[in-house]
Amino acid sequence: MDKRHQKRSDLLQKLFVLGFKSTHVDQEVENIQQNLPKLDEAIRKHATRYPLDKLAKVDLAVLRLAMYELLIEKKNPPKVIIDEAVILAREFGNDKSYSFVNGVLGSVLKELTISRLTG
């Protein structure tokens, strides 16, 4: 497992735990938490068939992490971020998680691409 994947895996697990209880977290998780309104709004926009409270906690954590990397952090290419999110969803989610995550993030990528072309 490469270092980036391990880091994302660790962050995902911390975000997942936060879905159940409040606990002391490291700076990266804190940064994600501070941006939850923006991240959750993006998830709502691109996962219109599912209210956030109905999403599996793992799927929500994966989407929040990926949205943070795509919309806020912007350190890696979008396709790399999406590929990693799909791998994490496959690794930690249920049988349909990876497909759901891929669809939501594919919609985000399409919007980002259009906005870059027109912006």
Side-chain angles (χ1 to χ4, degrees):
M1 188 177 310
D2 72 45
K3 289 180 184 180
R4 288 181 301 182
H5 180 75
Q6 184 60 52
K7 179 182 171 187
R8 286 185 178 105
S9 179
D10 293 344
L11 280 169
L12 173 64
Q13 291 176 53
K14 290 174 185 175
L15 286 170
F16 179 74
V17 168
L18 285 175
F20 296 101
K21 64 177 183 162
S22 181
T23 184
H24 177 70
V25 294
D26 62 31
Q27 188 59 50
E28 289 177 301
V29 174
E30 182 64 31
N31 292 343
I32 294 169
Q33 277 189 300
Q34 289 174 356
N35 286 283
L36 283 184
K38 181 177 182 175
L39 303 175
D40 287 351
E41 183 56 37
I43 294 168
R44 277 187 206 92
K45 181 178 179 181
H46 294 280
T48 56
R49 294 176 51 196
Y50 303 97
L52 291 185
D53 63 333
K54 300 296 182 193
L55 292 180
K57 296 287 188 191
V58 170
D59 296 352
L60 183 57
V62 170
L63 287 171
R64 284 174 169 167
L65 174 57
M67 291 290 192
Y68 178 78
E69 290 187 36
L70 285 167
L71 304 176
I72 309 295
E73 193 175 56
K74 301 177 184 178
K75 288 183 181 177
N76 293 296
K79 288 188 178 189
V80 170
I81 294 167
I82 293 169
D83 286 347
E84 277 290 319
V86 169
I87 290 167
L88 290 168
R90 199 181 288 265
E91 194 174 325
F92 292 99
N94 64 41
D95 292 342
K96 296 180 182 179
S97 292
Y98 75 92
S99 178
F100 172 69
V101 166
N102 190 51
V104 172
L105 296 177
S107 174
V108 173
L109 179 60
K110 183 176 180 180
E111 181 178 281
L112 291 174
T113 303
I114 289 170
S115 100
R116 273 192 226 120
L117 293 174
T118 61

